[in-house]
Amino acid sequence: MSEHPESPERRLDLEPDTVERDLIKLVLTVVELLRQLMERQALRRFDEGDLSEDQEERIGLTLMLLDDRMTELRDRYGLRPEDLNLDLGPLGPLLPRE
């Protein structure tokens, strides 16, 4: 039985730096999805008037800090916001375009 070399498209890139970056990309994608969901929920609650002024301020500050941290992490790993938007094929992109 002879071995056939795999085509370049089928080989896995298992370089430590690439694996780490890809893992970070996946984790940041999940965090970004959750951040956007939290932001939408907060906006809905703001619009409905469900929150006290203090709650609104704390939520706003928390969302701003989370956005800042996400920017720092993307920059550290050389990722752009669009790099976190996974293509789900026929379903389209994972994250809505802002």
Side-chain angles (χ1 to χ4, degrees), residues 10-60:
R10 295 187 55 130
R11 275 189 248 149
L12 291 176
D13 187 0
L14 296 178
E15 294 296 320
D17 293 341
T18 303
V19 170
E20 179 183 11
R21 187 173 185 272
D22 288 347
L23 181 59
I24 291 294
K25 182 178 173 181
L26 179 60
V27 169
L28 290 180
T29 297
V30 171
V31 172
E32 178 62 15
L33 177 62
L34 293 173
R35 186 195 70 75
Q36 287 187 20
L37 291 172
M38 288 171 39
E39 190 174 84
R40 281 192 206 96
Q41 179 73 9
L43 289 173
R44 184 188 60 76
R45 290 188 67 193
F46 288 155
D47 290 344
E48 291 176 357
D50 283 352
L51 304 170
S52 69
E53 193 173 306
D54 184 51
Q55 289 173 315
E56 287 180 6
E57 189 172 317
R58 280 193 326 231
I59 290 172

Side-chain angles (χ1 to χ4, degrees), residues 1-6:
M1 177 184 240
S2 67
E3 292 186 30
H4 298 286
E6 291 190 33

